[in-house]
Amino acid sequence: MNSKLNLDKLDLQIIEHMMDDAEISYADLGKKLFVSGGTIHVRIKKLQKDGVVKGTRLNPDLKLLGYDVIAFIGIYLRESSLYDSVAKELHKISEIVRLNYTTGNYSMFAEIVCKDISELRDVLHEKLQKIKGIERTETFISLEESFSRSVKVLDQ
């Protein structure tokens, strides 16, 4: 990745710091990395243009917003060739926040966020199970997220 995109140590330091605190000002980040805020700005714009940086996201506490259920769903497809059409239909279900095409027991693995068990049941029975190409699903309800972290992009 680094050689293909021509990322240098400063680029990786910027990414590492911004993944940790996306609200840091370019001037403050520049001070930490001993470069100007303008240099940080130019580098971020280049990283965005190259598709390395895809934007910034707010990370709210979902429980405080009333979302009490996080579940993971293993999805078995009738045929693996149906992946694209099923993924397109799953994308329409707003409660599904992440979808991966996988190896192993499941063809796909989805993360779903709901306000309560009733909403989860509705999503499973009224939306997900009606998608053509899905043979069956297996649902795992998360009891607790122990931790979540960013990938380390910089060898320290």
Side-chain angles (χ1 to χ4, degrees), residues 44-104:
I44 289 289
K45 289 298 179 197
K46 182 180 183 320
L47 291 167
Q48 289 172 331
K49 183 179 139 287
D50 292 344
V52 175
V53 173
K54 297 181 180 182
T56 57
R57 291 183 162 213
L58 188 64
N59 188 18
D61 185 322
L62 295 176
K63 290 231 181 257
L64 293 177
L65 293 174
Y67 293 91
D68 288 330
V69 177
I70 295 175
F72 300 93
I73 303 168
I75 301 169
Y76 296 86
L77 296 178
R78 285 197 179 94
E79 300 171 24
S80 62
S81 62
L82 297 171
Y83 173 79
D84 289 332
S85 63
V86 171
K88 186 176 179 182
E89 292 302 309
L90 290 171
H91 191 265
K92 296 175 185 176
I93 301 173
S94 62
E95 295 85 357
I96 296 176
V97 297
R98 182 175 294 119
L99 179 68
N100 293 91
Y101 192 22
T102 60
T103 62

Short mmCIF file of all heavy atoms in Angstrom, two decimals, residues 44-104:
data_model
loop_
_atom_site.label_atom_id
_atom_site.label_comp_id
_atom_site.label_asym_id
_atom_site.label_seq_id
_atom_site.Cartn_x
_atom_site.Cartn_y
_atom_site.Cartn_z
N ILE A 44 -3.65 16.20 4.08
CA ILE A 44 -4.99 15.63 4.27
C ILE A 44 -5.77 15.69 2.96
O ILE A 44 -6.43 14.72 2.57
CB ILE A 44 -5.76 16.37 5.40
CG1 ILE A 44 -5.17 16.05 6.76
CG2 ILE A 44 -7.25 16.03 5.36
CD1 ILE A 44 -5.42 14.64 7.25
N LYS A 45 -5.71 16.81 2.26
CA LYS A 45 -6.41 16.94 0.98
C LYS A 45 -5.92 15.90 -0.02
O LYS A 45 -6.71 15.30 -0.75
CB LYS A 45 -6.26 18.35 0.40
CG LYS A 45 -7.02 19.41 1.15
CD LYS A 45 -8.50 19.13 1.11
CE LYS A 45 -9.30 20.15 1.87
NZ LYS A 45 -10.65 19.68 2.16
N LYS A 46 -4.61 15.66 -0.06
CA LYS A 46 -4.05 14.65 -0.96
C LYS A 46 -4.52 13.25 -0.55
O LYS A 46 -4.89 12.44 -1.40
CB LYS A 46 -2.53 14.72 -0.98
CG LYS A 46 -1.91 13.71 -1.96
CD LYS A 46 -0.40 13.79 -1.98
CE LYS A 46 0.23 12.86 -2.99
NZ LYS A 46 -0.34 11.54 -3.12
N LEU A 47 -4.52 12.97 0.74
CA LEU A 47 -4.97 11.66 1.23
C LEU A 47 -6.45 11.46 0.90
O LEU A 47 -6.87 10.34 0.57
CB LEU A 47 -4.72 11.54 2.74
CG LEU A 47 -3.26 11.44 3.16
CD1 LEU A 47 -3.12 11.63 4.67
CD2 LEU A 47 -2.65 10.11 2.71
N GLN A 48 -7.24 12.52 0.97
CA GLN A 48 -8.65 12.42 0.60
C GLN A 48 -8.80 12.18 -0.90
O GLN A 48 -9.58 11.32 -1.33
CB GLN A 48 -9.41 13.70 1.01
CG GLN A 48 -9.59 13.82 2.50
CD GLN A 48 -10.15 15.17 2.91
OE1 GLN A 48 -9.94 16.19 2.25
NE2 GLN A 48 -10.84 15.19 4.04
N LYS A 49 -8.05 12.92 -1.69
CA LYS A 49 -8.10 12.78 -3.15
C LYS A 49 -7.71 11.36 -3.58
O LYS A 49 -8.30 10.78 -4.49
CB LYS A 49 -7.18 13.81 -3.81
CG LYS A 49 -7.20 13.79 -5.33
CD LYS A 49 -6.27 14.87 -5.87
CE LYS A 49 -5.47 14.42 -7.04
NZ LYS A 49 -4.40 13.51 -6.91
N ASP A 50 -6.69 10.80 -2.90
CA ASP A 50 -6.22 9.45 -3.22
C ASP A 50 -7.13 8.36 -2.67
O ASP A 50 -6.90 7.18 -2.92
CB ASP A 50 -4.79 9.25 -2.70
CG ASP A 50 -3.77 10.09 -3.45
OD1 ASP A 50 -4.09 10.59 -4.54
OD2 ASP A 50 -2.64 10.24 -2.93
N GLY A 51 -8.14 8.74 -1.87
CA GLY A 51 -9.07 7.75 -1.33
C GLY A 51 -8.58 7.07 -0.06
O GLY A 51 -9.23 6.14 0.43
N VAL A 52 -7.45 7.50 0.48
CA VAL A 52 -6.93 6.92 1.71
C VAL A 52 -7.79 7.37 2.89
O VAL A 52 -8.17 6.57 3.74
CB VAL A 52 -5.45 7.32 1.95
CG1 VAL A 52 -4.95 6.81 3.29
CG2 VAL A 52 -4.58 6.80 0.82
N VAL A 53 -8.13 8.65 2.91
CA VAL A 53 -9.01 9.21 3.94
C VAL A 53 -10.38 9.37 3.31
O VAL A 53 -10.53 10.08 2.32
CB VAL A 53 -8.47 10.55 4.47
CG1 VAL A 53 -9.48 11.21 5.40
CG2 VAL A 53 -7.14 10.35 5.16
N LYS A 54 -11.37 8.70 3.89
CA LYS A 54 -12.72 8.69 3.32
C LYS A 54 -13.67 9.62 4.07
O LYS A 54 -14.87 9.51 3.91
CB LYS A 54 -13.27 7.27 3.35
CG LYS A 54 -12.49 6.31 2.49
CD LYS A 54 -13.10 4.94 2.56
CE LYS A 54 -12.36 3.94 1.71
NZ LYS A 54 -12.98 2.62 1.74
N GLY A 55 -13.15 10.49 4.89
CA GLY A 55 -14.00 11.41 5.63
C GLY A 55 -13.80 11.23 7.13
O GLY A 55 -12.92 10.49 7.57
N THR A 56 -14.60 11.93 7.90
CA THR A 56 -14.56 11.79 9.35
C THR A 56 -15.96 11.42 9.82
O THR A 56 -16.95 11.75 9.18
CB THR A 56 -14.10 13.10 10.03
OG1 THR A 56 -14.98 14.15 9.63
CG2 THR A 56 -12.67 13.45 9.66
N ARG A 57 -16.01 10.75 10.95
CA ARG A 57 -17.29 10.30 11.48
C ARG A 57 -17.43 10.65 12.94
O ARG A 57 -16.46 10.58 13.69
CB ARG A 57 -17.43 8.78 11.35
CG ARG A 57 -17.57 8.32 9.94
CD ARG A 57 -17.78 6.84 9.91
NE ARG A 57 -18.33 6.52 8.61
CZ ARG A 57 -19.17 5.55 8.37
NH1 ARG A 57 -19.54 4.76 9.35
NH2 ARG A 57 -19.63 5.34 7.18
N LEU A 58 -18.63 10.96 13.32
CA LEU A 58 -18.96 11.15 14.71
C LEU A 58 -19.21 9.76 15.29
O LEU A 58 -19.81 8.90 14.63
CB LEU A 58 -20.22 12.01 14.80
CG LEU A 58 -20.65 12.49 16.16
CD1 LEU A 58 -19.58 13.42 16.74
CD2 LEU A 58 -21.97 13.21 16.07
N ASN A 59 -18.77 9.52 16.51
CA ASN A 59 -18.92 8.22 17.13
C ASN A 59 -19.80 8.34 18.38
O ASN A 59 -19.29 8.36 19.49
CB ASN A 59 -17.54 7.65 17.48
CG ASN A 59 -17.61 6.22 17.96
OD1 ASN A 59 -18.59 5.53 17.74
ND2 ASN A 59 -16.56 5.78 18.62
N PRO A 60 -21.12 8.44 18.21
CA PRO A 60 -22.01 8.63 19.35
C PRO A 60 -22.18 7.36 20.17
O PRO A 60 -21.96 6.25 19.68
CB PRO A 60 -23.33 9.04 18.71
CG PRO A 60 -23.31 8.35 17.39
CD PRO A 60 -21.87 8.35 16.95
N ASP A 61 -22.59 7.51 21.41
CA ASP A 61 -22.93 6.38 22.27
C ASP A 61 -24.33 5.94 21.86
O ASP A 61 -25.33 6.61 22.15
CB ASP A 61 -22.89 6.80 23.74
CG ASP A 61 -23.12 5.63 24.67
OD1 ASP A 61 -23.96 4.75 24.36
OD2 ASP A 61 -22.47 5.60 25.73
N LEU A 62 -24.42 4.82 21.16
CA LEU A 62 -25.70 4.36 20.62
C LEU A 62 -26.71 4.05 21.72
O LEU A 62 -27.91 4.28 21.54
CB LEU A 62 -25.49 3.14 19.72
CG LEU A 62 -24.67 3.41 18.46
CD1 LEU A 62 -24.44 2.13 17.69
CD2 LEU A 62 -25.32 4.46 17.60
N LYS A 63 -26.26 3.54 22.84
CA LYS A 63 -27.18 3.24 23.96
C LYS A 63 -27.87 4.51 24.44
O LYS A 63 -29.06 4.50 24.73
CB LYS A 63 -26.44 2.57 25.10
CG LYS A 63 -26.01 1.16 24.78
CD LYS A 63 -26.45 0.21 25.87
CE LYS A 63 -26.00 -1.20 25.56
NZ LYS A 63 -27.05 -2.03 25.08
N LEU A 64 -27.12 5.62 24.53
CA LEU A 64 -27.70 6.88 24.97
C LEU A 64 -28.70 7.43 23.95
O LEU A 64 -29.57 8.23 24.30
CB LEU A 64 -26.62 7.92 25.25
CG LEU A 64 -25.71 7.62 26.45
CD1 LEU A 64 -24.61 8.67 26.57
CD2 LEU A 64 -26.51 7.52 27.73
N LEU A 65 -28.58 6.98 22.70
CA LEU A 65 -29.54 7.38 21.66
C LEU A 65 -30.71 6.43 21.55
O LEU A 65 -31.57 6.58 20.69
CB LEU A 65 -28.82 7.49 20.31
CG LEU A 65 -27.78 8.60 20.20
CD1 LEU A 65 -27.05 8.52 18.88
CD2 LEU A 65 -28.43 9.97 20.38
N GLY A 66 -30.75 5.42 22.43
CA GLY A 66 -31.89 4.50 22.46
C GLY A 66 -31.71 3.22 21.68
O GLY A 66 -32.66 2.46 21.52
N TYR A 67 -30.51 2.94 21.20
CA TYR A 67 -30.26 1.70 20.46
C TYR A 67 -29.67 0.68 21.43
O TYR A 67 -28.49 0.74 21.77
CB TYR A 67 -29.32 1.94 19.28
CG TYR A 67 -29.95 2.80 18.22
CD1 TYR A 67 -29.80 4.17 18.23
CD2 TYR A 67 -30.72 2.23 17.21
CE1 TYR A 67 -30.39 4.97 17.27
CE2 TYR A 67 -31.31 3.01 16.23
CZ TYR A 67 -31.15 4.38 16.28
OH TYR A 67 -31.74 5.16 15.32
N ASP A 68 -30.50 -0.24 21.88
CA ASP A 68 -30.09 -1.18 22.93
C ASP A 68 -29.64 -2.54 22.41
O ASP A 68 -29.16 -3.36 23.19
CB ASP A 68 -31.23 -1.39 23.93
CG ASP A 68 -31.44 -0.17 24.82
OD1 ASP A 68 -30.45 0.55 25.08
OD2 ASP A 68 -32.59 0.07 25.25
N VAL A 69 -29.82 -2.81 21.13
CA VAL A 69 -29.50 -4.13 20.60
C VAL A 69 -28.51 -4.01 19.45
O VAL A 69 -28.76 -3.32 18.47
CB VAL A 69 -30.77 -4.87 20.12
CG1 VAL A 69 -30.41 -6.22 19.50
CG2 VAL A 69 -31.76 -5.05 21.26
N ILE A 70 -27.38 -4.70 19.61
CA ILE A 70 -26.42 -4.87 18.51
C ILE A 70 -26.34 -6.36 18.26
O ILE A 70 -26.15 -7.15 19.20
CB ILE A 70 -25.04 -4.30 18.86
CG1 ILE A 70 -25.13 -2.78 19.05
CG2 ILE A 70 -24.03 -4.64 17.76
CD1 ILE A 70 -23.87 -2.12 19.51
N ALA A 71 -26.53 -6.75 17.03
CA ALA A 71 -26.51 -8.17 16.68
C ALA A 71 -25.64 -8.38 15.44
O ALA A 71 -25.41 -7.46 14.65
CB ALA A 71 -27.93 -8.67 16.42
N PHE A 72 -25.16 -9.60 15.33
CA PHE A 72 -24.38 -10.01 14.17
C PHE A 72 -25.14 -11.14 13.51
O PHE A 72 -25.65 -12.04 14.18
CB PHE A 72 -22.98 -10.45 14.60
CG PHE A 72 -22.22 -9.35 15.28
CD1 PHE A 72 -22.26 -9.22 16.65
CD2 PHE A 72 -21.52 -8.41 14.54
CE1 PHE A 72 -21.59 -8.19 17.29
CE2 PHE A 72 -20.85 -7.38 15.17
CZ PHE A 72 -20.89 -7.27 16.54
N ILE A 73 -25.24 -11.09 12.20
CA ILE A 73 -26.04 -12.07 11.48
C ILE A 73 -25.19 -12.77 10.44
O ILE A 73 -24.64 -12.13 9.54
CB ILE A 73 -27.25 -11.38 10.80
CG1 ILE A 73 -28.08 -10.66 11.87
CG2 ILE A 73 -28.09 -12.40 10.04
CD1 ILE A 73 -29.11 -9.73 11.32
N GLY A 74 -25.08 -14.08 10.59
CA GLY A 74 -24.44 -14.90 9.58
C GLY A 74 -25.49 -15.23 8.53
O GLY A 74 -26.58 -15.70 8.87
N ILE A 75 -25.19 -14.95 7.29
CA ILE A 75 -26.16 -15.13 6.21
C ILE A 75 -25.66 -16.22 5.26
O ILE A 75 -24.55 -16.13 4.74
CB ILE A 75 -26.37 -13.81 5.44
CG1 ILE A 75 -26.86 -12.72 6.40
CG2 ILE A 75 -27.33 -14.01 4.27
CD1 ILE A 75 -26.85 -11.33 5.82
N TYR A 76 -26.48 -17.22 5.06
CA TYR A 76 -26.20 -18.29 4.11
C TYR A 76 -26.92 -17.95 2.80
O TYR A 76 -28.13 -17.70 2.81
CB TYR A 76 -26.73 -19.63 4.62
CG TYR A 76 -26.09 -20.13 5.88
CD1 TYR A 76 -26.56 -19.74 7.13
CD2 TYR A 76 -25.03 -21.03 5.83
CE1 TYR A 76 -25.99 -20.21 8.29
CE2 TYR A 76 -24.44 -21.51 6.99
CZ TYR A 76 -24.93 -21.10 8.22
OH TYR A 76 -24.36 -21.57 9.38
N LEU A 77 -26.20 -17.95 1.70
CA LEU A 77 -26.81 -17.71 0.40
C LEU A 77 -27.11 -19.02 -0.29
O LEU A 77 -26.40 -20.01 -0.10
CB LEU A 77 -25.87 -16.88 -0.49
CG LEU A 77 -25.54 -15.47 -0.02
CD1 LEU A 77 -24.55 -14.82 -0.99
CD2 LEU A 77 -26.80 -14.63 0.10
N ARG A 78 -28.15 -19.03 -1.11
CA ARG A 78 -28.47 -20.24 -1.91
C ARG A 78 -27.31 -20.55 -2.85
O ARG A 78 -26.96 -21.69 -3.06
CB ARG A 78 -29.75 -20.02 -2.69
CG ARG A 78 -30.96 -20.09 -1.83
CD ARG A 78 -32.25 -20.30 -2.65
NE ARG A 78 -33.36 -20.38 -1.72
CZ ARG A 78 -34.10 -19.33 -1.37
NH1 ARG A 78 -33.89 -18.16 -1.92
NH2 ARG A 78 -35.07 -19.47 -0.50
N GLU A 79 -26.74 -19.48 -3.43
CA GLU A 79 -25.60 -19.60 -4.34
C GLU A 79 -24.70 -18.39 -4.13
O GLU A 79 -25.19 -17.27 -3.99
CB GLU A 79 -26.06 -19.60 -5.80
CG GLU A 79 -27.00 -20.72 -6.17
CD GLU A 79 -27.58 -20.55 -7.57
OE1 GLU A 79 -26.95 -19.85 -8.40
OE2 GLU A 79 -28.66 -21.08 -7.81
N SER A 80 -23.39 -18.61 -4.14
CA SER A 80 -22.47 -17.48 -3.93
C SER A 80 -22.57 -16.44 -5.04
O SER A 80 -22.28 -15.26 -4.82
CB SER A 80 -21.04 -17.97 -3.79
OG SER A 80 -20.62 -18.62 -4.97
N SER A 81 -23.03 -16.83 -6.20
CA SER A 81 -23.18 -15.88 -7.31
C SER A 81 -24.25 -14.84 -7.04
O SER A 81 -24.34 -13.84 -7.74
CB SER A 81 -23.50 -16.63 -8.61
OG SER A 81 -24.74 -17.31 -8.49
N LEU A 82 -25.06 -15.04 -6.01
CA LEU A 82 -26.12 -14.09 -5.67
C LEU A 82 -25.63 -12.96 -4.75
O LEU A 82 -26.39 -12.08 -4.38
CB LEU A 82 -27.28 -14.83 -4.98
CG LEU A 82 -27.99 -15.87 -5.84
CD1 LEU A 82 -28.97 -16.69 -5.01
CD2 LEU A 82 -28.71 -15.18 -7.00
N TYR A 83 -24.34 -13.00 -4.39
CA TYR A 83 -23.82 -12.03 -3.44
C TYR A 83 -24.15 -10.58 -3.81
O TYR A 83 -24.68 -9.82 -3.00
CB TYR A 83 -22.30 -12.17 -3.26
CG TYR A 83 -21.74 -11.06 -2.41
CD1 TYR A 83 -21.87 -11.09 -1.03
CD2 TYR A 83 -21.14 -9.94 -2.99
CE1 TYR A 83 -21.40 -10.05 -0.24
CE2 TYR A 83 -20.67 -8.90 -2.21
CZ TYR A 83 -20.80 -8.96 -0.84
OH TYR A 83 -20.35 -7.93 -0.07
N ASP A 84 -23.84 -10.18 -5.02
CA ASP A 84 -24.04 -8.78 -5.42
C ASP A 84 -25.50 -8.34 -5.30
O ASP A 84 -25.79 -7.26 -4.77
CB ASP A 84 -23.53 -8.53 -6.84
CG ASP A 84 -22.02 -8.59 -6.93
OD1 ASP A 84 -21.35 -8.28 -5.93
OD2 ASP A 84 -21.50 -8.95 -8.01
N SER A 85 -26.42 -9.17 -5.77
CA SER A 85 -27.83 -8.78 -5.71
C SER A 85 -28.34 -8.76 -4.27
O SER A 85 -29.11 -7.88 -3.88
CB SER A 85 -28.70 -9.68 -6.58
OG SER A 85 -28.66 -11.02 -6.13
N VAL A 86 -27.90 -9.71 -3.45
CA VAL A 86 -28.31 -9.74 -2.04
C VAL A 86 -27.70 -8.55 -1.29
O VAL A 86 -28.39 -7.88 -0.52
CB VAL A 86 -27.94 -11.08 -1.38
CG1 VAL A 86 -28.18 -11.04 0.12
CG2 VAL A 86 -28.75 -12.23 -2.00
N ALA A 87 -26.44 -8.26 -1.55
CA ALA A 87 -25.79 -7.12 -0.89
C ALA A 87 -26.52 -5.82 -1.23
O ALA A 87 -26.70 -4.96 -0.37
CB ALA A 87 -24.32 -7.04 -1.30
N LYS A 88 -26.95 -5.69 -2.46
CA LYS A 88 -27.68 -4.50 -2.88
C LYS A 88 -28.99 -4.36 -2.10
O LYS A 88 -29.35 -3.27 -1.66
CB LYS A 88 -27.96 -4.57 -4.39
CG LYS A 88 -28.58 -3.35 -4.98
CD LYS A 88 -28.73 -3.49 -6.48
CE LYS A 88 -29.38 -2.27 -7.09
NZ LYS A 88 -29.56 -2.41 -8.53
N GLU A 89 -29.68 -5.47 -1.90
CA GLU A 89 -30.94 -5.45 -1.13
C GLU A 89 -30.68 -5.19 0.36
O GLU A 89 -31.42 -4.45 1.01
CB GLU A 89 -31.70 -6.77 -1.32
CG GLU A 89 -32.25 -6.96 -2.72
CD GLU A 89 -33.19 -5.83 -3.14
OE1 GLU A 89 -34.13 -5.51 -2.36
OE2 GLU A 89 -33.00 -5.26 -4.23
N LEU A 90 -29.62 -5.80 0.89
CA LEU A 90 -29.29 -5.59 2.31
C LEU A 90 -28.91 -4.14 2.57
O LEU A 90 -29.18 -3.60 3.64
CB LEU A 90 -28.15 -6.52 2.73
CG LEU A 90 -28.51 -8.00 2.81
CD1 LEU A 90 -27.25 -8.84 3.02
CD2 LEU A 90 -29.52 -8.27 3.92
N HIS A 91 -28.30 -3.49 1.59
CA HIS A 91 -27.91 -2.09 1.73
C HIS A 91 -29.13 -1.19 1.98
O HIS A 91 -29.02 -0.12 2.58
CB HIS A 91 -27.15 -1.63 0.48
CG HIS A 91 -26.49 -0.31 0.65
ND1 HIS A 91 -27.10 0.86 0.25
CD2 HIS A 91 -25.30 0.04 1.19
CE1 HIS A 91 -26.30 1.88 0.53
NE2 HIS A 91 -25.20 1.41 1.11
N LYS A 92 -30.29 -1.62 1.52
CA LYS A 92 -31.53 -0.85 1.69
C LYS A 92 -32.06 -0.92 3.13
O LYS A 92 -32.93 -0.13 3.49
CB LYS A 92 -32.60 -1.36 0.73
CG LYS A 92 -32.26 -1.15 -0.73
CD LYS A 92 -33.31 -1.79 -1.62
CE LYS A 92 -32.93 -1.70 -3.09
NZ LYS A 92 -33.92 -2.40 -3.95
N ILE A 93 -31.57 -1.84 3.93
CA ILE A 93 -32.03 -2.01 5.31
C ILE A 93 -31.16 -1.12 6.20
O ILE A 93 -30.00 -1.45 6.46
CB ILE A 93 -31.97 -3.49 5.75
CG1 ILE A 93 -32.83 -4.35 4.82
CG2 ILE A 93 -32.40 -3.63 7.21
CD1 ILE A 93 -32.70 -5.85 5.06
N SER A 94 -31.71 -0.02 6.65
CA SER A 94 -30.91 0.98 7.37
C SER A 94 -30.34 0.47 8.69
O SER A 94 -29.33 0.99 9.16
CB SER A 94 -31.74 2.24 7.60
OG SER A 94 -32.86 1.95 8.42
N GLU A 95 -30.96 -0.51 9.28
CA GLU A 95 -30.46 -1.05 10.55
C GLU A 95 -29.16 -1.84 10.38
O GLU A 95 -28.42 -2.05 11.35
CB GLU A 95 -31.52 -1.94 11.22
CG GLU A 95 -32.77 -1.21 11.64
CD GLU A 95 -33.82 -1.06 10.53
OE1 GLU A 95 -33.57 -1.47 9.38
OE2 GLU A 95 -34.91 -0.53 10.82
N ILE A 96 -28.86 -2.29 9.16
CA ILE A 96 -27.60 -2.98 8.91
C ILE A 96 -26.53 -1.92 8.71
O ILE A 96 -26.60 -1.12 7.78
CB ILE A 96 -27.69 -3.92 7.68
CG1 ILE A 96 -28.70 -5.03 7.96
CG2 ILE A 96 -26.32 -4.50 7.34
CD1 ILE A 96 -28.96 -5.97 6.80
N VAL A 97 -25.54 -1.92 9.60
CA VAL A 97 -24.52 -0.87 9.57
C VAL A 97 -23.21 -1.34 8.96
O VAL A 97 -22.35 -0.53 8.62
CB VAL A 97 -24.27 -0.29 10.98
CG1 VAL A 97 -25.53 0.39 11.51
CG2 VAL A 97 -23.77 -1.34 11.95
N ARG A 98 -23.04 -2.65 8.81
CA ARG A 98 -21.80 -3.18 8.23
C ARG A 98 -22.12 -4.53 7.61
O ARG A 98 -22.88 -5.32 8.15
CB ARG A 98 -20.74 -3.35 9.31
CG ARG A 98 -19.40 -3.85 8.77
CD ARG A 98 -18.31 -3.90 9.85
NE ARG A 98 -18.02 -2.54 10.29
CZ ARG A 98 -18.19 -2.11 11.56
NH1 ARG A 98 -18.62 -2.91 12.48
NH2 ARG A 98 -17.90 -0.88 11.88
N LEU A 99 -21.51 -4.79 6.45
CA LEU A 99 -21.71 -6.06 5.76
C LEU A 99 -20.39 -6.52 5.17
O LEU A 99 -19.68 -5.73 4.54
CB LEU A 99 -22.75 -5.91 4.63
CG LEU A 99 -23.03 -7.16 3.82
CD1 LEU A 99 -23.75 -8.21 4.67
CD2 LEU A 99 -23.87 -6.82 2.60
N ASN A 100 -20.06 -7.78 5.39
CA ASN A 100 -18.83 -8.35 4.84
C ASN A 100 -19.15 -9.64 4.09
O ASN A 100 -20.00 -10.42 4.49
CB ASN A 100 -17.84 -8.69 5.96
CG ASN A 100 -17.32 -7.45 6.64
OD1 ASN A 100 -17.88 -7.00 7.63
ND2 ASN A 100 -16.27 -6.89 6.11
N TYR A 101 -18.44 -9.84 2.99
CA TYR A 101 -18.48 -11.08 2.22
C TYR A 101 -17.40 -11.96 2.85
O TYR A 101 -16.25 -11.55 2.96
CB TYR A 101 -18.15 -10.76 0.76
CG TYR A 101 -18.40 -11.85 -0.25
CD1 TYR A 101 -19.28 -12.89 -0.02
CD2 TYR A 101 -17.75 -11.80 -1.47
CE1 TYR A 101 -19.50 -13.86 -0.97
CE2 TYR A 101 -17.97 -12.77 -2.44
CZ TYR A 101 -18.85 -13.81 -2.19
OH TYR A 101 -19.07 -14.77 -3.13
N THR A 102 -17.76 -13.15 3.28
CA THR A 102 -16.83 -13.93 4.09
C THR A 102 -16.59 -15.34 3.56
O THR A 102 -17.34 -15.85 2.74
CB THR A 102 -17.38 -14.07 5.53
OG1 THR A 102 -18.64 -14.74 5.50
CG2 THR A 102 -17.55 -12.72 6.20
N THR A 103 -15.52 -15.94 4.09
CA THR A 103 -15.27 -17.35 3.89
C THR A 103 -15.80 -18.07 5.12
O THR A 103 -16.18 -17.42 6.10
CB THR A 103 -13.77 -17.64 3.74
OG1 THR A 103 -13.10 -17.25 4.94
CG2 THR A 103 -13.18 -16.88 2.56
N GLY A 104 -15.80 -19.39 5.10
CA GLY A 104 -16.25 -20.12 6.28
C GLY A 104 -17.71 -20.50 6.19
O GLY A 104 -18.25 -20.69 5.10
#
